[in-house]
């Protein structure tokens, strides 16, 4: 069974993208077949006691097991969206938080890029509302380290899922 990177604790709130609806195909622009830029993400309805957020994007359908595509943490509580095209290879994103390492081996967003002919994959954007201002994570920050640091601090969560298949 693939590992899940959603801590379903506290109330669920809403995470959307203007680029695609929950369950729909992720546009080529946001994949390795296109410009490979991160999609804009927006959220609302988060718990009032949220003091920061953490986002993990992952593919549970990868042939070798769950594959991490993006990690951002220490997102300030005042932030309600992540812009399209977040800078890659930058750990610190002023006003937005810190990026961790994806399973491609670099900092930042790595878009959907499933093996050709390998059915559609699901890509989950899991946003967690946290009860702390920041997480202390040993660098390089990975999804597993961020997930471990979040345990016991999640006060709500939101999930957006998109699909992608290469022909």
């Amino acid at each position: 069974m693939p590992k899940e990177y959603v801590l379903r604790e506290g109330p669920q709130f809403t995470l959307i993208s203007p680029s695609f609806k929950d369950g729909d195909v992720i546009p080529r622009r946001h994949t390795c077949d296109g410009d490979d830029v991160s999609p804009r993400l927006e959220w609302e309805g988060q718990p009032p006691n949220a003091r920061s957020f953490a986002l993990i994007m992952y593919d549970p359908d990868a042939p070798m097991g769950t594959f991490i595509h993006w990690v951002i943490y220490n997102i300030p509580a005042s932030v309600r969206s992540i812009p399209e095209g977040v800078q890659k290879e930058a750990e610190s994103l002023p006003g937005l938080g810190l990026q961790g390492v994806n399973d491609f081996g670099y900092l930042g967003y790595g878009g959907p890029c499933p093996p050709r002919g390998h059915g559609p994959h699901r890509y989950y954007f899991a946003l967690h509302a946290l009860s702390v201002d920041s997480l202390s994570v040993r660098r390089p920050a990975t999804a597993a380290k961020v997930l471990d640091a979040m345990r016991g601090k999640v006060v709500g969560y939101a999930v957006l899922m998109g699909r992608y298949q290469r022909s």
Side-chain angles (χ1 to χ4, degrees):
M1 175 168 223
K3 183 168 183 173
E4 186 172 76
Y5 284 84
V6 181
L7 295 178
R8 297 178 189 274
E9 300 169 8
Q12 188 169 2
F13 57 100
T14 304
L15 177 63
I16 64 165
S17 175
S19 296
F20 63 96
K21 291 185 179 1
D22 188 50
D24 282 356
V25 173
I26 296 173
R28 183 181 181 96
R29 170 173 172 66
H30 303 297
T31 74
C32 68
D33 295 319
D35 297 328
D36 203 25
V37 297
S38 60
R40 179 175 175 81
L41 299 173
E42 303 168 356
W43 57 92
E44 63 183 18
Q46 63 282 350
N49 58 336
R51 294 177 55 195
S52 68
F53 298 96
L55 175 83
I56 299 175
M57 177 193 172
Y58 65 98
D59 169 8
D61 303 318
M64 301 300 286
T66 302
F67 193 91
I68 303 301
H69 285 264
W70 199 16
V71 178
I72 301 181
Y73 62 104
N74 293 349
I75 301 168
S78 59
V79 172
R80 295 293 177 269
S81 65
I82 297 173
E84 181 178 86
V86 170
Q87 180 182 353
K88 293 183 183 188
E89 297 290 333
E91 180 181 45
S92 180
L93 301 169
L96 191 56
L98 298 172
Q99 289 190 111
V101 176
N102 60 42
D103 284 347
F104 291 110
Y106 58 84
L107 290 166
Y109 177 84
C113 196
R116 293 187 190 281
H118 188 266
H121 283 215
R122 297 167 295 157
Y123 296 87
Y124 289 91
F125 295 80
L127 182 68
H128 298 86
L130 306 174
S131 62
V132 295
D133 292 327
S134 64
L135 296 173
S136 178
V137 180
R138 180 175 226 174
R139 298 197 180 76
T142 62
K145 289 178 186 176
V146 170
L147 193 71
D148 285 344
M150 290 187 325
R151 293 193 192 284
K153 300 172 182 83
V154 176
V155 295
Y157 69 97
V159 180
L160 173 67
M161 188 272 291
R163 299 177 186 279
Y164 189 70
Q165 178 176 357
R166 298 174 79 196
S167 48

